[in-house]
Amino acid sequence: MNPRWTLAASVAGAVVVALDGTVLTVAQPSLQRELHATYAEVQWTSTAYLVAVASLLVFAGRLGDRYGQRRVFALGMLGFGAVSAGIGLAPTVGWVIALRAVQGVFGALLQPATLGMLRAAYPADRLATPLAVRTGAIGLAAAAGPLIGGALVSGLGWRAVFFVNVLPALAFGLPALLRPQGRPAAGGAPLDLPGAVLLAVTLACAVHTLAVRPVSPAGAVVALVTAAALVRHERCTASPLLPPEVIGSRAVAAGLGILVAVSASLFGGLFAANYVLQRRLGLDAFDSALRSLPLAVLMILSAAACPALLRRFGARATTAAATALLSLGVLMLSGVTAAPALACGFGLLGAGFGTVMVAATQVIVRQADVKVAGVAGGLQQTALNVGPAVGVAAATALLDAGTGPALVALAAVAALGVPLAWALPASDGAASPAPTAGQRVHGGVPARR
């Protein structure tokens, strides 16, 4: 794989998905008015996508490992763009919800492949820099999304926020499909379809239980039962969906736990902080977005600085310090209302999250062999989908006690990541697995398999 093109494609895929989520939030009120939808139906335009994407990420990563990350990326990118155009033409909210679920399937194919391609294109000891570029681009998309969405909805209507996905999907999906690439290794392990089904049902029920109100006890029960069945199945099958060398790694498990904790704290904290900004301080949505802008700025800057921090201090110390910063930022938001203090709190959130994203992700991806990089990417993306669902659900449940106690509790959730960070490698080089004979690096690029 060409490293520069691979990095550009990975960034484009990540940005398309990030923008899609942020601009939809801005477009939902207009969509509701035009399609005469209920609040529950509008919620399902987000929930249908979230359930579909979270349930399929790991299996999609396994498909990339077996059939080629670039092929799966191309299918995900082109499908995402095509379904986006379909949503833009949808005549009813029912069509929007159904197509959002289909879009989630293609999003699941796309997201792990953006990480799997980077793992295949860059030597393990140079992964932190492309991951920092990718994370910074996501931060920029998060900052620009509400502004782009507001401009599109105001000028062209809610349908425009979906049509905007079509051009980048074609620009990167078609070259990925047409560029020559090495043939996937023959005679690979068979796909673990029963494991994929059990994992999909477990995650779908868990995310649905967390995201939908009122909470469904039946969904939680099904998730627990299928999770137990999945563990039993994975222990017995000859070719598990979740390779033991990935999920059995102490560093990978810690990295995933940290990502769940910090993303839960971040998104739950933002959900609660919006009540402070809009209800206690009386700000409108635009002014609230401006107050939180330091988060996106510091996320971009911290992601850019993270590779140097990793080289100097290692993954363990860098991640522990960044997680503590994020926890401090959430705690600060629980007790301040002045603009400078709020800016400082949001800035700490961005600095902590941007650093953790790069540091924890590079540990997870580097620990995985190239042949299972897609599964590692799928697990990383799953953590970043489950965490926000947990955080928003916790914030919703705790808001009755007040925004202050809710934010203090969410700060404690982030703090759980600090002891987990001590399971990460102490030095930057410790996370890198030794290359096998089939993975020799020639000219800085891994040999094509």
Side-chain angles (χ1 to χ4, degrees):
M1 290 188 183
N2 180 285
R4 291 182 179 179
W5 183 90
T6 300
L7 177 57
S10 177
V11 167
V15 166
V16 164
V17 172
L19 276 176
D20 181 79
T22 53
V23 299
L24 176 62
T25 303
V26 178
Q28 281 174 328
S30 175
L31 180 154
Q32 182 180 16
R33 289 192 300 271
E34 183 175 324
L35 299 183
H36 309 290
T38 65
Y39 284 108
E41 288 171 330
V42 170
Q43 182 187 21
W44 269 102
T45 64
S46 295
T47 303
Y49 176 89
L50 181 62
V51 170
V53 74
S55 63
L56 295 173
L57 281 165
V58 176
F59 184 61
R62 183 69 185 90
L63 291 175
D65 293 332
R66 183 174 174 84
Y67 298 109
Q69 300 294 350
R70 192 187 296 163
R71 288 189 179 95
V72 173
F73 171 84
L75 178 60
M77 198 73 161
L78 292 171
F80 197 93
V83 178
S84 295
I87 297 172
L89 298 171
T92 67
V93 70
W95 274 101
V96 173
I97 293 170
L99 289 172
R100 282 285 287 169
V102 178
Q103 191 182 38
V105 174
F106 287 108
L109 292 172
L110 173 61
Q111 292 181 62
T114 64
L115 290 172
M117 290 194 304
L118 289 180
R119 178 66 180 89
Y122 286 86
D125 60 356
R126 289 173 49 201
L127 265 176
T129 298
L131 288 173
V133 173
R134 183 179 180 275
T135 301
I138 293 172
L140 184 60
L147 302 177
I148 294 172
L152 289 172
V153 172
S154 299
L156 301 171
W158 67 268
R159 298 177 188 273
V161 304
F162 292 101
F163 287 126
V164 78
N165 294 330
V166 176
L167 185 58
L170 290 173
F172 287 93
L174 285 176
L177 188 66
L178 298 175
R179 288 172 71 93
Q181 63 179 338
R183 184 174 298 176
L191 292 174
D192 179 16
L193 295 179
V197 171
L198 288 171
L199 180 61
V201 173
T202 300
L203 290 172
C205 290
V207 172
H208 178 268
T209 300
L210 292 168
V212 176
R213 295 291 176 272
V215 172
S216 168
V221 171
V222 172
L224 290 173
V225 170
T226 53
L230 174 66
V231 171
R232 180 181 178 84
H233 170 78
E234 292 294 287
R235 286 176 174 174
C236 298
T237 187
S239 55
L241 173 68
L242 303 171
E245 63 268 28
V246 177
I247 62 171
S249 166
R250 185 165 172 258
V252 169
L256 292 171
I258 291 165
L259 288 177
V260 170
V262 298
S263 61
S265 182
L266 174 70
F267 285 90
L270 290 176
F271 182 84
N274 273 324
Y275 279 82
V276 175
L277 295 172
Q278 296 186 32
R279 294 191 177 181
R280 188 185 303 176
L281 302 183
L283 303 178
D284 61 23
F286 184 76
D287 286 334
S288 297
L290 288 179
R291 293 289 177 93
S292 64
L293 195 58
L295 187 155
V297 174
L298 268 293
M299 181 176 169
I300 295 168
L301 295 177
S302 63
C306 190
L309 294 174
L310 289 171
R311 289 191 295 270
R312 176 67 177 84
F313 300 106
R316 180 185 299 170
T318 299
T319 306
T323 304
L325 276 183
L326 189 146
S327 179
L328 180 61
V330 178
L331 193 61
M332 192 170 186
L333 291 177
S334 69
V336 300
T337 54
L342 286 171
C344 183
F346 282 119
L348 289 174
L349 284 182
F353 191 70
T355 305
V356 171
M357 271 279 286
V358 177
T361 299
Q362 69 95 28
V363 169
I364 294 166
V365 177
R366 284 179 63 172
Q367 285 288 102
D369 190 88
V370 174
K371 68 177 184 292
V372 290
V375 171
L379 288 169
Q380 187 262 6
Q381 292 292 315
T382 299
L384 290 175
N385 277 271
V386 172
V390 171
V392 172
T396 302
L398 293 169
L399 275 176
D400 287 340
T403 53
L407 287 165
V408 170
L410 290 164
V413 170
L416 295 174
V418 176
L420 286 175
W422 294 105
L424 301 181
S427 64
D428 187 42
S432 177
T436 65
Q439 297 163 351
R440 304 295 185 197
V441 176
H442 300 284
V445 183
R448 195 172 282 159
R449 294 182 292 122

